[in-house]
Amino acid sequence: MAWFTIFDKRSGRAVSITSVLPETLDADLQVLDHGTLRPNLSVEMWDAAAQAYVPRPSKVFVDRVDDVLNDSRLALSKSLLEATALREVLAEILGRERFRSETAEKRI
Amino acid sequence: MAATFVTLGADTAASTGTQITGGANTPSAWVQFTASLSISAKLLWIFARIEEGSAYIISVGTGAAGVEVARFRVVHGGQGAAGGGFTGPAFGPIPVDPAVFASGTRVVVRVEVDSVVAGSEAIDVTLLLCDTSLSELTSYAYNDYGITAGTDSKDTALDPGGTANAKSGTFVEISSSVAADAEWILFFFGNNANAAALTADWLVDIATGAAASEVVKIANLFLHTSTTSDYVQPACVIVPGDVFAGQRVSMDLQCTTIDATDRVISAAMLAISGSRAAGGDTIVSSIQSNVFSRPRWVEGGQF
């Protein structure tokens, strides 16, 4: 199956990602042929300026263990900050909430 | 006649629903979702963005201001403790009487909350209504679309783009052609395998038609995820399929966040085809379309 992206030549905006091309197309629209590779929006995204797909930026995870250890209210000593056991305990308690998005609140 | 879908209560400026502040163990005032329904509805879905840990009763009513009549209610028993999570359940499809939810009818919603958690009284609600019932079938065939086995991407990613609270303008094809005799459609939604999602809301348009000339048939389907649950709710929405039968189906969407990862969700669909039972347009009741929060809906009566 062939895949295409139809985009507006003036704005660069993608209009449709499709395996079926319409019989007629507005003069302002242009077709980008991807062959049999469907654009995978999980890992790439449309760049209107480049009129092409670009890699999606990698997600930045922040470790809530660091959120705790670096909290200024605690003022932990260097040895405590580097204590592997403390990190392990915090990580165990936080479980699947250990990592957060960069822009997400520290508070769970 | 192909089904017509109507969405009520969507707030496209904020990618959410209509906010209703629940009364503490007493119903809130009725909130108008439409002064005049444009179809005579046979099915109704309630989409709700429910915050914090309280329990809610959401009632749907009809009638003129001051003399509204409660038609039925659904209940969400609550989840987690304070800050313990947000959910976005869908209740439905709920069969409704087209003579009661008739074209021209004023439709209203009210909410009662247990108010255990201060600040959790406000929830966001949309309604989806349809003028066609789900058909009872005597034979069954299944076709799925937008699903890719054997890779990390199991379904089809959708990107609302880098502008918050505005449709991307890009329709992503889910199916090039749905089975011509599709009677039921299940739309599936996921978080694109995102292990640390931001709390976010989406409004999804589902369209038919050729590329670059798509026509929206279901507008502003209300989805939600949270940092604590990470999964998109509702995960599955069941609708009558005839409007999508034989059609190319695609989706566009908008989101509250522009984070390059967290704004992306994924979708797929399953079409169920078959022969209609005698009588055709038979209401199939008690279908529960949210596999996660397991809400219970309560038959009508005085409340």
Side-chain angles (χ1 to χ4, degrees):
Chain A
M1 180 183 288
W3 282 95
F4 309 92
T5 297
I6 299 174
F7 65 94
D8 188 318
K9 287 185 286 191
R10 299 164 300 177
S11 65
R13 182 175 64 85
V15 172
S16 192
I17 299 171
T18 183
S19 67
V20 184
L21 287 176
E23 292 180 3
T24 59
L25 210 58
D26 284 356
D28 295 328
L29 299 179
Q30 185 169 329
V31 176
L32 193 60
D33 187 341
H34 305 292
T36 57
L37 291 177
R38 176 181 188 143
N40 183 353
L41 298 181
S42 293
V43 296
E44 58 190 350
M45 56 190 200
W46 180 254
D47 184 327
Q51 300 186 351
Y53 289 95
V54 298
R56 190 171 293 282
S58 298
K59 186 176 178 74
V60 177
F61 291 104
V62 177
D63 191 340
R64 284 195 168 96
V65 169
D66 292 326
D67 287 342
V68 174
L69 297 179
N70 295 326
D71 191 306
S72 58
R73 291 168 295 182
L74 299 179
L76 298 178
S77 65
K78 187 171 185 294
S79 60
L80 205 50
L81 282 171
E82 293 174 351
T84 304
L86 179 57
R87 297 190 70 87
E88 287 177 352
V89 168
L90 285 170
E92 185 179 312
I93 291 172
L94 288 166
R96 63 185 300 278
E97 300 302 329
R98 175 175 176 176
F99 296 99
R100 63 175 173 83
S101 288
E102 198 175 22
T103 51
E105 288 183 29
K106 293 178 183 177
R107 173 180 175 271
I108 298 173
Chain B
M1 185 185 72
T4 298
F5 293 89
V6 174
T7 300
L8 304 178
D11 179 356
T12 55
S15 303
T16 187
T18 294
Q19 189 165 90
I20 303 175
T21 299
N25 295 324
T26 186
S28 68
W30 288 111
V31 175
Q32 177 177 300
F33 272 51
T34 182
S36 178
L37 191 58
S38 61
I39 59 172
S40 292
K42 294 182 178 179
L43 294 174
L44 184 150
W45 297 252
I46 302 170
F47 294 79
R49 179 187 191 274
I50 288 174
E51 300 184 14
E52 305 290 357
S54 294
Y56 299 84
I57 296 170
I58 305 170
S59 301
V60 177
T62 59
V67 290
E68 294 93 344
V69 177
R71 297 298 178 181
F72 59 88
R73 59 189 179 180
V74 297
V75 61
H76 189 282
Q79 76 293 325
F86 299 71
T87 60
F91 305 86
I94 299 170
V96 295
D97 185 346
V100 173
F101 287 84
S103 177
T105 299
R106 180 173 179 266
V107 178
V108 292
V109 177
R110 69 185 182 188
V111 173
E112 176 179 329
V113 59
D114 65 14
S115 200
V116 169
V117 182
S120 67
E121 301 89 346
I123 68 173
D124 294 276
V125 177
T126 66
L127 301 179
L128 176 67
L129 298 100
C130 176
D131 61 359
T132 300
S133 298
L134 290 162
S135 303
E136 183 179 355
L137 303 179
T138 58
S139 65
Y140 301 85
Y142 303 90
N143 291 283
D144 58 61
Y145 308 97
I147 297 175
T148 307
T151 70
D152 287 341
S153 300
K154 305 299 186 193
D155 47 8
T156 302
L158 306 172
D159 185 354
T163 303
N165 301 322
K167 295 286 180 342
S168 73
T170 306
F171 283 91
V172 176
E173 180 180 295
I174 306 297
S175 171
S176 60
S177 181
V178 172
D181 54 354
E183 293 285 352
W184 295 30
I185 298 285
L186 282 71
F187 290 109
F188 306 122
F189 298 99
N191 81 345
N192 197 40
N194 185 348
L198 281 170
T199 293
D201 296 328
W202 291 263
L203 295 175
V204 179
D205 285 351
I206 305 174
T208 62
S213 55
E214 289 87 349
V215 178
V216 174
K217 294 299 172 72
I218 297 178
N220 297 317
L221 205 66
F222 185 27
L223 308 180
H224 174 70
T225 195
S226 77
T227 54
T228 43
S229 68
D230 289 328
Y231 56 77
V232 168
Q233 288 189 300
C236 177
V237 179
I238 305 167
V239 300
D242 62 349
V243 70
F244 301 105
Q247 302 290 314
R248 176 179 177 272
V249 174
S250 57
M251 297 186 187
D252 186 15
L253 72 171
Q254 63 181 71
C255 181
T256 50
T257 182
I258 58 170
D259 181 279
T261 299
D262 294 325
R263 73 192 190 208
V264 178
I265 60 171
S266 48
M269 57 190 288
L270 173 66
I272 304 171
S273 306
S275 303
R276 285 191 183 184
D281 196 30
T282 305
I283 290 176
V284 179
S285 62
S286 301
I287 296 162
Q288 198 273 91
S289 68
N290 190 306
V291 296
F292 289 112
S293 61
R294 305 188 189 288
R296 308 172 294 279
W297 72 276
V298 182
E299 299 272 359
Q302 297 303 312
F303 50 85

